[in-house]
Amino acid sequence: MNRCCLGERLGIFGGTFDPPHVGHLVCAVNVRFRLRLDRVLLVVNDLPWQKIGTRPISPAAQRLGMVEAAVADVEGLEASRIEIDAGGLSYTADTLARLRADSPSDDFFVVLGADAAAGLPTWERLDEVREQATIVVVERPGADAVTPLEGFRWESVEVPGLQVSSTDLRARVSDGRPLDYLVTREVVEWIFAHNLYQDPL
Ligand code: ATP
Ligand code: MG
């Protein structure tokens, strides 16, 4: 929904989503609620530069399909293929520039888990990210808060800590352990229909 003139409050939550899980979804809906965002885009990385060479990564079309399936019934959450369409290495500065070209008056909120926030100082063209967006760090109750970077617009949102990771989920599939309640039913069905993560790690 593009509201004339005012612009939207748009969340941008990037990830590999290999596969998307309840940690991602709980994080996105709670950030949307707390910061009154119109929408949160789950932006599927094409080639996650931090992960190249560390493990096989499922094709982007599979990861996008799973995110679309996971958010289909959730108001305000949307899968985004913007980085897949751009192709190649994904830097948030580039994604923000592309979104800005389409939506000059939107307020952008880049949503990060605490682990991803710790890596922020190493990001490519960080000054552009600082100019274009507010950083939103998702913190677990009781955890030490991530220290805001100097000069950034910064929000921190407390979200229930769910100890689930895509890495563990891939291992579960390859060992035959259950995925139920850790990912949505649609994502479980997608994984088995497409034979993802079957190879031993
Ligand atoms: P992997 O295990 O392959 O690294 P992941 O589970 O960490 O996958 P990513 O796609 O790497 O998922 O993460 C995308 C974003 O989601 C990052 O900002 C990350 O910090 C955040 N995130 C990942 N897992 C959780 C979780 N359980 N709760 C909240 N945020 C999470
Ligand atoms: Mg990760």
Side-chain angles (χ1 to χ4, degrees), residues 11-72:
I12 296 148
F13 184 32
T16 315
F17 301 115
D18 195 13
H21 53 65
V22 292
H24 300 132
L25 299 172
V26 166
C27 172
V29 293
N30 282 282
V31 168
R32 176 170 180 257
F33 176 80
R34 272 276 285 102
L35 299 179
R36 300 181 320 282
L37 306 184
D38 295 291
R39 293 184 292 151
V40 175
L41 304 181
L42 282 81
V43 179
V44 179
N45 298 158
D46 186 34
L47 296 173
W49 52 274
Q50 303 93 332
K51 291 181 185 174
I52 289 170
T54 59
R55 66 169 179 86
I57 295 162
S58 304
Q62 294 282 348
R63 295 182 283 110
L64 178 70
M66 289 190 280
V67 175
E68 285 172 344
V71 303

Side-chain angles (χ1 to χ4, degrees), residues 3-9 105-107:
R3 291 175 306 170
C4 167
C5 315
L6 278 177
E8 283 190 305
R9 291 168 66 80
S105 51
D106 278 5
D107 279 339

